[in-house]
Amino acid sequence: MALTYLDLCNNVLRRINEVEFSSSDFDSATGLHAAVKDSVQHSIDKINSAEYEWPYNAASVTATLVAGTENYVFPVNFKTADFNSFQIQKDDTLGANFKTLRKIERDEYYNLYRDTDDNSASTGRGIPDFVFMAHGVGSSDAQDLYFGVTPTPDKAYSLKYNYYRIPDRLQNATSTTRIPDHFAHVIIDGAVHFMFVFKENMDAAQLALMNFQQGIKEMQSQLVNTYERVTDRRVQFGGGKIGVQVADRF
């Protein structure tokens, strides 16, 4: 069972020898207890910002393309996309088979494909072959990010892709984080660090910070730094075997 916001805060309060929350006074917390809530959220934010592609933040979405339109907005909780995953979905009514799009750079799109796409207007040119990170359009109200496809679609094809999301912030006592429970100690170490800074106990804060940073490294090692294969890139010179020849002892 996932640890709740209340559980995490009470873990931190026990670590710093303070009175725990009850569920009834959680929402109205002030002073030190309000600072504990902030510290838990800050710790979670720091963990999530340490990597773009934490696997627990993975998500997928299917977008419906529009004839003659090359740019499409990412989801509002978008952080980064897996550009190798963009795939047109099979649809017999549209005459479409599964087709994986290849990523190109935005400048390549501008130089080679944009004029032809624009000249096709609303009719489009066919089933897309490529995907690229489009020029973002942002404002004070929204910071939208876009991807583009080319050739511009001529029909309402379905395009599925994977991305990594920005997690929702904790809101109330029963809110849970996407970080797996077996890494809850990392969240707590980070929050304890921020609370000792709040209490101006810098020696204890430094120790908690070291534990927090080590915990993030362990998360990266277990969740991110995995390799399916290792390639031997050593260069062989002289036609002999790679390695060191040991002379006979006798």
Side-chain angles (χ1 to χ4, degrees), residues 49-96:
S49 65
E51 286 287 341
Y52 275 98
E53 299 182 356
W54 288 118
Y56 55 79
N57 287 329
S60 62
V61 67
T62 300
T64 300
L65 304 184
V66 178
T69 300
E70 68 269 20
N71 288 344
Y72 299 86
V73 66
F74 282 112
V76 293
N77 62 358
F78 169 83
K79 187 174 185 179
T80 185
D82 179 357
F83 275 98
N84 292 322
S85 70
F86 283 72
Q87 183 190 52
I88 298 292
Q89 301 299 286
K90 184 178 178 63
D91 189 328
D92 292 335
T93 62
L94 299 179

Side-chain angles (χ1 to χ4, degrees), residues 73-172:
V73 66
F74 282 112
V76 293
N77 62 358
F78 169 83
K79 187 174 185 179
T80 185
D82 179 357
F83 275 98
N84 292 322
S85 70
F86 283 72
Q87 183 190 52
I88 298 292
Q89 301 299 286
K90 184 178 178 63
D91 189 328
D92 292 335
T93 62
L94 299 179
N97 290 318
F98 288 113
K99 181 180 183 181
T100 298
L101 307 188
R102 185 168 67 85
K103 183 181 184 296
I104 59 174
E105 298 302 319
R106 186 165 58 240
D107 285 346
E108 185 176 355
Y109 166 72
Y110 288 158
N111 292 332
L112 300 179
Y113 305 108
R114 180 174 61 174
D115 291 345
T116 307
D117 283 344
D118 288 347
N119 287 331
S120 69
S122 61
T123 59
R125 295 203 292 132
I127 300 178
D129 295 317
F130 306 105
V131 61
F132 57 92
M133 189 72 181
H135 185 71
V137 178
S139 68
S140 59
D141 297 323
Q143 297 294 327
D144 296 328
L145 293 172
Y146 291 79
F147 67 91
V149 296
T150 186
T152 46
D154 60 343
K155 298 176 184 177
Y157 304 110
S158 292
L159 178 64
K160 185 177 182 180
Y161 62 92
N162 301 329
Y163 72 101
Y164 292 89
R165 58 183 290 168
I166 299 171
D168 297 332
R169 296 179 68 80
L170 303 181
Q171 298 294 330
N172 51 53

Side-chain angles (χ1 to χ4, degrees), residues 33-51:
H33 283 79
V36 169
K37 292 171 64 175
D38 292 342
S39 71
V40 168
Q41 183 62 67
H42 193 183
S43 178
I44 292 171
D45 291 343
K46 293 291 285 185
I47 293 169
N48 283 323
S49 65
E51 286 287 341

